[in-house]
Structures are given as C-alpha cells and as structure tokens.
Amino acid sequence: MAAKPIYRVVVHQQGEIWDLYVREIFQSELWGFIEVEEFVFEDASRVVVDPGAEKLQRTLEGVKRSYLPLNAIVRIDEVEREGPLKAVKSDARVAEFPRPFSLPPRGEG
C-alpha cells in the first residue's frame, strides 16, 4: 500500500510565513477556508533546535484540524517527506486576495 502523501502548506499568519506539513488537505464546508489535518512534525531527536519551529510545534500541539482562510495560503506543494516547521518574519507585504477596493470618485458632469 502506498504511503499517504505529505503536503507543505505555506501560510501568511500575522506578519510571519509558516511552513506546515500535513497529510490531509481539502476544501472546507466553511466558505473561504481550506481544512488541513494530521500535522507531520520532524523527528524530535535531531540535534539542532530552532526556536521558531519549537514555537510553531507548541502552537499546533493537540490541534486535530485547522481551518485556514484561502487568502492566507501562499502555496501548497505535495512533497516526498516532511521538513522542518518554519515560522519566519515576513519582510515583504503580502496582500490578501481578493482584496477589497474602493471605487474611483464619480466625475461631475
């Protein structure tokens, strides 16, 4: 039997870019959201400790399912194996899509 695929989901979350690894991803019944389940964490026995990854793992500890807004998802990739969780500050401005806009003023005439 083939192993379940692993997906890397890159999410923009409050000024940070998060790399998450999950086994299940699908369209939510809640309009405008994607559901992700079965988070995959890298082996805890590794020597190098990344404080950002540890913080993210603590944040997701015990989470069964997450509902991610479509406008926060930057990218979804199917990958061969999990990688390290990442939570890095975003220097670039990431705009939501669709972005609300105001109509131009009406001309007099």
Side-chain angles (χ1 to χ4, degrees):
M1 182 169 104
K4 280 182 151 179
I6 296 176
Y7 301 96
R8 177 178 55 218
V9 182
V10 181
V11 180
H12 184 254
Q13 174 68 20
Q14 297 179 349
E16 293 183 334
I17 301 293
W18 290 3
D19 281 6
L20 308 174
Y21 291 87
V22 298
R23 291 204 183 271
E24 297 286 339
I25 182 168
F26 46 92
Q27 179 68 43
S28 176
E29 291 181 7
L30 295 172
W31 189 81
F33 287 84
I34 293 288
E35 291 183 37
V36 295
E37 296 179 348
E38 295 185 40
F39 289 95
V40 179
F41 300 110
E42 198 173 45
D43 183 15
S45 64
R46 63 191 176 112
V47 177
V48 179
V49 177
D50 179 14
E54 279 187 11
K55 174 189 151 205
L56 192 51
Q57 189 165 354
R58 281 192 315 270
T59 300
L60 297 171
E61 192 173 40
V63 173
K64 182 177 178 180
R65 174 183 303 137
S66 271
Y67 298 87
L68 304 174
L70 286 172
N71 61 349
I73 296 174
V74 177
R75 180 183 180 129
I76 299 172
D77 298 316
E78 185 174 344
V79 295
E80 293 289 323
R81 56 181 147 61
E82 74 275 2
L85 293 176
K86 291 183 192 172
V88 295
K89 291 285 184 192
S90 173
D91 294 334
R93 294 185 182 257
V94 178
E96 304 93 28
F97 180 78
R99 185 179 174 114
F101 63 92
S102 58
L103 296 172
R106 296 181 76 173
E108 304 214 5

